Amino acid sequence: MNTFPSSDCLLVVCNVPDPQLAGQIAATLVAERLAACVNILPPCQSVYRWQEAVERAEETPLLIKTVRAAYPRLERRLAELHPYQVPEIVALPLERGLPSYLTWVSSSVVSSDDV
């Protein structure tokens, strides 16, 4: 099994309005091979500024594992599926990880080079 550099893997964070939508988005991203895995976390309270007002909302966080080459497609698809006008979609590079896990992530995602 070839190892995959951890720097090619990303952790994408996205909050959605509710657990049901979180499940739908997670299933879609994995089925479409844009993500290897999506963790759906328990709801959290978000406080943010929107249109010059301080807002509060309960949201469900998603932790999405993907690779750099697939990120542009994942970002577009996630924005299509998301109901917010400006959804939180941020990607963090993985500095290190278990080599076999990173290889699994890379083999589970179809990068833009593969399509």
Side-chain angles (χ1 to χ4, degrees), residues 2-40:
N2 294 331
T3 58
F4 194 74
S6 62
S7 62
D8 289 334
C9 291
L10 299 174
L11 176 66
V12 179
V13 178
C14 180
N15 285 346
V16 297
D18 60 71
Q20 180 180 351
L21 181 59
Q24 292 168 349
I25 288 175
T28 298
L29 296 177
V30 172
E32 293 179 4
R33 299 195 64 174
L34 296 171
C37 173
V38 179
N39 300 116
I40 302 169

Side-chain angles (χ1 to χ4, degrees), residues 16 22 24 27 30 36 44 64 77-78 89 92 97 103 106 109 111 115:
V16 297
Q24 292 168 349
V30 172
C44 68
I64 305 162
R77 188 65 170 126
L78 191 48
I89 303 173
L92 307 167
T103 299
S106 70
V109 175
S111 71
V115 290

Side-chain angles (χ1 to χ4, degrees), residues 29-30 47 55 68 76-77 81 84 97 99 104 111-112 114:
L29 296 177
V30 172
V47 180
E55 302 285 342
R68 285 183 189 278
R76 278 192 305 275
R77 188 65 170 126
L81 297 168
Y84 294 170
W104 171 77
S111 71
S112 56
D114 298 333

